[in-house]
């Protein structure tokens, strides 16, 4: 399977989850709008999510995957199994302790860290505390899910680990369906959503444990012990924690500042949900596949292959992210209207959300390119350099948020996040270049130039069609609006891909090969899922 096919496997599974996620967000928007309960729920949900991405997806995976891959390649199945059981035991014990302490201290954490701006509204503050306490064990589930996903990815089993997040969306949609059917009020809806989150976490954990067991890793809990291998993991996790969580820290900082503006947290979340579609599909696909592949190449001493992997990842990431960013910036209003504007989500809310989306989108390429360049450090077990770059980015984000928020409100916070991401990416790329660990090939440079050209032309097409079809884009009928908006997106996409294919910005031979092997890839995915259905 080629690198692009591996990206497509993860991206395809993530796409399904993200599409279902849009359904979830549209239902939340219809049920809660951008009012106090929406603010409270998103503030509560973001806190355990911050820790999940900080400890699990960020720090843990960055440190665990190279070490597990090393054990699997060097020591074999039994060595890898022993290492994973040691890590599982220590991780479970530590997370249980953290969760217990956090739940007890949640009133203080909410008042001083999660949403200090809620202090003037006791009901809103108390609901945030209660929902955060309900959802915080989600951290335990997702940290263990991250470990199991890392094991599957190291064994090149990418699809299942990328697919399980759909269970979170399914659980929340189920809760919303019950709420809307039974006519629950906003408070009851928020609590039901919180229980849907935690139940989905246990469902994801159970599914992936079964998948790992089917791969020959029937792990059991041992007495927690800080063995040399576990200590090495923890040492590597320290710097990686700040590296992988920089964006999440930026989001938390933005939330703290935004809590001073009524509805701002919900507006930023709605905008970020759309922005996360390409970031999730492309960024996650690159990050999931590139780290284990680079780790294997470097362990084998194949530096040419490592350069090839990075060049192809750069082309793939920009080829899909740049046109998405242009579309979000130029066409934000119609997109937000189609996705959210119904029920409690008013035209005014649409305009405010669209402004935030455009600001977020200016940093979209940087968000994804960070996923391309960070694995080059992690695969070489250099966790400290990305850590320092991330800390610099966090400082930039805080300063920019404080400066921009008084003038631009929630849009300033989104813009500050984008600025910080470009700073982070720039530092990663410059140092890799200086060390000689990455050199874009002439072919890659030419392809990137053609991608930029195609994106500019595509943007002009979007603006022209939006102006020409303005009456249809803003038609009172949702069906007419949706048909027009998706038609414009389709035409713009066709124009973009014609240009990149004709100019060679996309490898035509690999594209045709991937299309020819599409049926085979589908059959392989079905075979991978089949054992879990038995």
């Amino acid at each position: 399977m080629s690198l692009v096919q591996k990206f497509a496997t993860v991206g395809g599974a993530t796409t399904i989850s993200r599409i279902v996620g849009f359904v979830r967000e549209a239902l939340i928007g219809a049920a809660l709008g951008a009012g106090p309960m929406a603010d409270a729920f998103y503030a509560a949900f973001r806190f355990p999510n911050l820790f999940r991405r900080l400890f699990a997806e960020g720090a843990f995976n960055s440190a665990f995957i190279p070490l597990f891959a090393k054990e699997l390649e060097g020591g074999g199945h039994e060595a890898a199994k022993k290492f994973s059981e040691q890590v599982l035991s220590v991780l479970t014990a530590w997370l249980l302790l953290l969760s217990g302490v956090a739940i007890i201290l949640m009133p203080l954490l909410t008042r001083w860290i999660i949403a200090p701006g809620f202090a003037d509204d006791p009901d809103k503050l108390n609901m945030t505390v209660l929902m955060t306490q309900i959802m915080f064990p989600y951290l335990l589930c997702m940290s263990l899910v991250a470990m199991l996903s890392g094991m599957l990815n190291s064994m090149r089993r990418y699809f299942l680990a990328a697919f399980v997040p759909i269970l979170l969306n399914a659980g929340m949609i189920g809760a919303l369906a019950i709420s809307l059917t039974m006519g629950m009020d906003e408070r009851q809806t928020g609590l039901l959503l919180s229980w849907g989150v935690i139940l989905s976490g246990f469902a994801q954990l159970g599914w992936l444990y079964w998948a790992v067991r089917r791969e020959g890793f029937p792990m059991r809990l041992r007495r927690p012990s800080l063995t040399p291998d576990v200590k090495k993991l923890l040492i590597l996790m320290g710097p990686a924690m700040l590296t992988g969580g920089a964006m999440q820290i930026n989001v938390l900082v933005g939330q703290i500042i935004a809590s001073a503006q009524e509805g701002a947290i919900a507006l930023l979340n709605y905008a970020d949900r759309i922005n996360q579609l390409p970031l999730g599909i492309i960024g996650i696909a690159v990050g999931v596949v590139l780290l284990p592949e680079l780790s294997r190449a470097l362990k084998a001493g194949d530096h040419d292959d490592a350069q090839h992997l990075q060049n192809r990842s750069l082309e793939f990431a920009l080829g899909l992210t740049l046109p998405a960013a242009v579309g979000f910036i130029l066409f934000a209003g119609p997109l937000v209207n189609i996705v959210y504007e119904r029920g409690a989500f008013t035209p005014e809310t649409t305009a405010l959300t669209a402004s935030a989306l455009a600001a977020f989108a200016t940093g979209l390429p940087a968000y994804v390119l960070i996923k391309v360049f960070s694995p080059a450090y992690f695969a070489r077990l250099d966790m400290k350099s990305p850590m320092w770059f991330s800390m610099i980015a966090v400082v930039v984000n805080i300063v920019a948020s404080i400066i921009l928020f008084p003038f631009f409100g929630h849009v300033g916070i989104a813009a500050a996040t984008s600025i910080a991401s470009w700073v982070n990416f720039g530092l990663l790329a410059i140092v890799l270049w200086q060390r000689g660990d990455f050199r874009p090939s002439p072919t890659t440079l030419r392809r990137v130039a053609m991608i930029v050209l195609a994106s500019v032309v595509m943007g002009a097409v979007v603006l022209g069609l939006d102006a020409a079809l303005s009456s249809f884009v803003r038609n009172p009928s949702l069906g007419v609006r949706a048909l027009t908006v998706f038609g414009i997106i389709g035409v713009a996409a066709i124009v973009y891909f014609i240009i990149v294919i004709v100019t060679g910005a996309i490898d035509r031979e690999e594209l045709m090969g991937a299309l020819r092997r599409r049926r085979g890839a589908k059959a392989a995915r079905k075979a991978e899922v089949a054992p879990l259905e038995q």
Side-chain angles (χ1 to χ4, degrees):
M1 185 184 290
S2 71
L3 184 66
V4 172
Q5 283 181 300
K6 292 171 184 174
F7 289 153
T9 297
V10 178
T14 306
T15 300
I16 297 172
S17 178
R18 297 290 171 166
I19 291 173
V20 179
F22 273 120
V23 176
R24 177 193 90 190
E25 291 298 312
L27 289 173
I28 294 176
L32 302 179
M37 193 53 60
D39 267 358
F41 173 75
Y42 282 122
F45 186 41
R46 185 161 287 158
F47 193 60
N49 256 338
L50 167 69
F51 278 90
R52 172 177 67 87
R53 291 173 178 172
L54 202 60
F55 293 118
E57 294 176 356
F60 182 78
N61 263 351
S62 299
F64 176 76
I65 288 177
L67 294 178
F68 181 79
K70 178 182 177 182
E71 293 290 340
L72 195 60
E73 292 290 319
H77 180 276
E78 285 304 315
K81 180 176 179 291
K82 181 180 178 182
F83 172 64
S84 60
E85 286 183 339
Q86 292 170 347
V87 174
L88 175 67
S89 301
V90 172
L91 187 63
T92 301
W94 184 81
L95 287 169
L96 285 171
L97 177 63
L98 174 65
S99 298
V101 172
I103 289 172
I104 293 171
L105 297 179
M106 198 54 65
L108 293 176
L109 292 173
T110 303
R111 179 179 290 273
W112 297 107
I113 297 177
I114 300 175
F118 292 177
D120 294 334
D121 189 338
D123 290 338
K124 188 175 179 180
L125 181 67
N126 292 335
M127 277 302 298
T128 305
V129 171
L130 179 57
M131 288 191 288
T132 311
Q133 288 173 325
I134 293 172
M135 288 188 283
F136 201 85
Y138 184 67
L139 165 65
L140 169 65
C141 296
M142 290 301 98
S143 297
L144 299 179
V145 162
M147 174 183 172
L148 299 175
S149 298
M151 294 173 66
L152 289 172
N153 292 336
S154 295
M155 293 181 281
R156 290 174 171 161
R157 299 287 190 237
Y158 296 112
F159 181 75
L160 290 175
F163 186 77
V164 292
I166 198 173
L167 296 180
L168 170 64
N169 296 322
M172 295 177 72
I173 288 173
L176 286 164
I178 293 172
S179 171
L180 293 172
T181 301
M182 298 183 65
M184 293 182 175
D185 60 27
E186 291 187 355
R187 185 181 187 280
Q188 292 171 322
T189 300
L191 291 175
L192 193 59
L193 273 172
S194 301
W195 285 111
V197 169
I198 187 62
L199 290 176
S200 73
F202 283 105
Q204 292 178 65
L205 177 59
W207 190 10
L208 282 190
Y209 178 77
W210 181 253
V212 169
R213 186 182 180 89
R214 297 291 292 189
E215 292 295 330
F217 286 87
M219 295 185 296
R220 60 182 178 85
L221 287 173
R222 300 166 173 257
R223 182 178 179 180
S225 176
L226 292 177
T227 63
D229 287 336
V230 173
K231 288 180 181 178
K232 185 174 183 180
L233 174 70
L234 295 176
I235 291 171
L236 292 174
M237 276 183 64
M241 190 182 300
L242 289 175
T243 304
M247 184 176 177
Q248 304 313 313
I249 294 173
N250 288 340
V251 169
L252 180 61
V253 169
Q255 175 176 295
I256 292 171
I257 297 173
S259 65
Q261 175 187 328
E262 182 68 32
I265 292 177
L267 291 170
L268 288 170
N269 186 85
Y270 291 134
D272 191 45
R273 171 56 55 179
I274 297 179
N275 191 57
Q276 286 284 333
L277 180 62
L279 174 59
I281 294 172
I282 305 162
I284 289 176
V286 171
V288 164
V289 174
L290 187 56
L291 179 55
E293 294 293 332
L294 268 179
S295 298
R296 287 174 179 266
L298 292 172
K299 181 173 176 56
D302 193 344
H303 295 281
D304 289 338
D305 187 39
Q307 290 284 337
H308 170 74
L309 288 169
Q310 290 176 105
N311 274 299
R312 296 314 311 277
S313 299
L314 175 61
E315 296 165 16
F316 176 82
L318 276 182
L320 296 180
T321 305
L322 194 57
V326 171
F328 286 169
I329 293 169
L330 301 179
F331 210 47
L335 287 172
V336 173
N337 174 278
I338 294 300
V339 175
Y340 292 124
E341 193 173 307
R342 58 189 59 83
F345 206 99
T346 65
E348 180 183 4
T349 312
T350 293
L352 293 171
T353 303
S355 298
L357 173 58
F360 273 130
T362 60
L364 182 57
Y367 303 151
V368 177
L369 289 173
I370 290 170
K371 298 288 187 181
V372 173
F373 286 97
S374 293
Y377 292 87
F378 298 145
R380 294 173 172 88
L381 298 181
D382 176 8
M383 308 296 180
K384 291 185 178 180
S385 296
M387 176 194 73
W388 290 114
F389 303 155
S390 298
M391 291 176 67
I392 293 170
V394 168
V395 173
V396 169
N397 178 67
I398 293 172
V399 173
S401 294
I402 293 172
I403 293 173
L404 296 175
F405 182 72
F407 299 99
F408 303 103
H410 68 290
V411 178
I413 292 174
T417 304
S418 296
I419 293 169
S421 295
W422 280 110
V423 170
N424 196 350
F425 157 68
L427 292 171
L428 288 168
I430 290 170
V431 172
L432 277 180
W433 178 282
Q434 290 176 339
R435 293 178 178 178
D437 290 333
F438 176 67
R439 288 287 189 275
S441 66
T443 299
T444 294
L445 292 174
R446 182 181 62 79
R447 288 176 175 172
V448 168
M450 292 300 101
I451 288 168
V452 173
L453 173 64
S455 298
V456 171
V457 174
M458 185 209 74
V461 170
V462 169
L463 287 177
L465 290 175
D466 186 23
L469 303 174
S470 176
S471 60
F472 296 97
V473 172
R474 292 153 185 85
N475 192 281
S477 169
L478 175 61
V480 173
R481 293 200 310 273
L483 187 62
T484 307
V485 168
F486 289 125
I488 291 174
I489 293 172
V491 171
I494 290 171
V495 169
Y496 173 78
F497 281 107
I498 287 175
I499 295 174
V500 293
I501 291 173
V502 170
T503 60
I506 288 181
D507 189 322
R508 289 189 290 271
E509 292 183 4
E510 185 168 276
L511 177 63
M512 294 305 298
L515 293 174
R516 286 194 297 268
R517 290 189 293 268
R518 185 178 178 183
R519 291 185 179 179
K522 286 184 177 179
R525 289 198 294 271
K526 288 181 180 179
E528 188 175 354
V529 175
L532 300 179
E533 299 175 344
Q534 295 175 357

